[in-house]
């Protein structure tokens, strides 16, 4: 038997051209479909992104401008914030020493918002009266609320800076805590602690809005070692 082979080159060329045209046509249709659906896809994606962004912004505003937010005092990124809180705490200490009077208030008039008679202050009256320059203060926990400035709810510890802390990174149990920033506060030099609320006008001025309850040095030290995260 004999096998027949079509050797007509024109016919083969026509088949190749037809295949190429069909492929081009199919590709063009796919591209047209993609072009038709692409705007819809972009709109849907943008809508989802906008919705997510709005939710995140809403949550952030609710956290910052609405309620109070606890600030981690051991976070390395919060070094500048710790300095801000320290300035506010220094104002609290000076107000405590002056009995609530302002720097330029030399009158004997009744102070509108005097500090309470904290036990630790009364018990160490001689030390505090004769060695005011030795007394320091440290925030151990801070809640902040963003308003036209900052509302700060703080727990602060008062200590005698002359009594050195032999290991600034040592916690109340004597264990190393490398996460804690350097602190001079220790069980040996802590005099007392209390909660206080301060209004911070962008670091330009401060106002004590509420003198709150006294707490123990043990509690303050425990809070500090948790980076201000403990609810003790």
């Amino acid at each position: 038997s004999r096998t027949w082979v079509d050797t007509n080159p024109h016919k083969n060329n026509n088949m190749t051209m037809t295949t190429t045209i069909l492929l081009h046509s199919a590709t063009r249709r796919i591209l047209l479909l993609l072009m038709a659906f692409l705007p819809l896809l972009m709109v849907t994606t943008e809508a989802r992104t906008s919705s997510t962004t709005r939710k995140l912004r809403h949550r952030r505003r609710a956290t910052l401008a609405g309620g109070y937010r606890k600030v981690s005092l051991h976070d390395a990124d919060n070094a500048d914030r710790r300095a801000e809180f320290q300035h506010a705490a220094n104002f609290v200490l000076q107000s405590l020493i002056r009995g609530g009077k302002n720097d330029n208030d030399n009158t004997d008039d009744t102070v509108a918002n005097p500090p309470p008679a904290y036990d630790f202050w009364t018990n160490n009256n001689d030390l505090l009266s004769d060695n005011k320059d030795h007394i320091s203060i440290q925030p151990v926990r801070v809640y902040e609320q963003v308003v036209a400035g900052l509302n700060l709810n703080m727990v602060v510890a008062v200590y005698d800076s002359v009594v050195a802390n032999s290991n600034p990174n040592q916690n109340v149990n004597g264990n190393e805590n490398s996460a804690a920033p350097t602190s001079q506060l220790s069980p040996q030099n802590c005099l007392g602690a209390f909660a206080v609320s301060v209004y911070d006008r962008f670091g330009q001025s401060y106002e004590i809005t509420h003198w709150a309850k006294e707490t123990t040095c043990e509690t303050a030290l425990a809070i500090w070692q948790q980076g201000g995260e403990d609810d003790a």
Side-chain angles (χ1 to χ4, degrees):
S1 61
R2 191 178 288 181
T3 301
W4 180 80
V5 177
D6 188 357
T7 58
N8 185 350
H10 296 290
K11 186 175 181 180
N12 290 336
N13 288 339
N14 289 338
M15 292 178 64
T16 302
M17 291 179 63
T18 301
T19 302
T20 302
I21 292 172
L22 290 173
L23 286 173
H24 280 297
S25 178
T27 302
R28 185 172 62 180
R29 289 179 182 177
I30 292 172
L31 289 174
L32 289 174
L33 286 172
L34 289 174
M35 292 176 65
F37 283 103
L38 185 59
L40 179 61
L41 180 62
M42 292 177 64
V43 169
T44 303
T45 303
E46 183 177 356
R48 290 178 179 175
T49 302
S50 299
S51 176
T52 302
T53 303
R54 282 195 300 271
K55 289 179 181 178
L56 290 174
R57 287 176 179 172
H58 176 74
R59 290 175 184 173
R60 186 171 184 273
R61 282 195 295 265
T63 299
L64 294 180
Y68 280 86
R69 182 180 71 92
K70 190 182 295 184
V71 182
S72 174
L73 299 179
H74 287 185
D75 191 335
D77 295 332
N78 285 340
D80 290 340
R81 306 307 315 283
R82 285 197 299 273
E84 293 176 16
F85 302 148
Q86 185 62 53
H87 286 307
N90 291 342
F91 172 80
V92 170
L93 178 60
Q94 292 306 310
S95 297
L96 189 63
I97 291 173
R98 294 191 303 269
K101 292 183 179 181
N102 296 322
D103 285 331
N104 56 355
D105 189 356
N106 296 317
T107 67
D108 293 328
D109 295 339
T110 302
V111 179
N113 187 19
Y118 291 123
D119 288 341
F120 81 90
W121 196 261
T122 303
N123 295 337
N124 293 280
N125 186 61
D126 293 339
L127 170 66
L128 297 170
S129 298
D130 299 334
N131 300 285
K132 289 185 174 68
D133 294 340
H134 298 173
I135 306 306
S136 298
I137 193 169
Q138 178 178 317
V140 297
R141 183 169 67 202
V142 177
Y143 283 86
E144 68 174 2
Q145 180 191 38
V146 176
V147 286
L150 283 177
N151 284 327
L152 302 175
N153 283 350
M154 301 190 294
V155 174
V156 294
V158 178
Y159 64 95
D160 185 351
S161 59
V162 174
V163 180
N165 180 3
S166 59
N167 188 346
N169 289 327
Q170 192 175 66
N171 66 24
V172 70
N173 296 319
N175 298 321
E176 292 292 333
N177 184 355
S178 58
T182 299
S183 168
Q184 294 303 317
L185 179 65
S186 74
Q188 292 76 34
N189 63 19
C190 182
L191 300 174
F194 58 95
V196 64
S197 298
V198 179
Y199 174 50
D200 176 1
R201 293 184 181 88
F202 308 102
Q204 301 302 313
S205 63
Y206 302 95
E207 177 186 350
I208 295 175
T209 56
H210 180 59
W211 297 94
K213 66 179 182 179
E214 185 173 1
T215 188
T216 65
C217 284
E218 289 78 10
T219 298
L221 285 158
I223 293 173
W224 169 249
Q225 293 306 322
Q226 295 298 322
E229 297 295 333
D230 185 51
D231 286 324

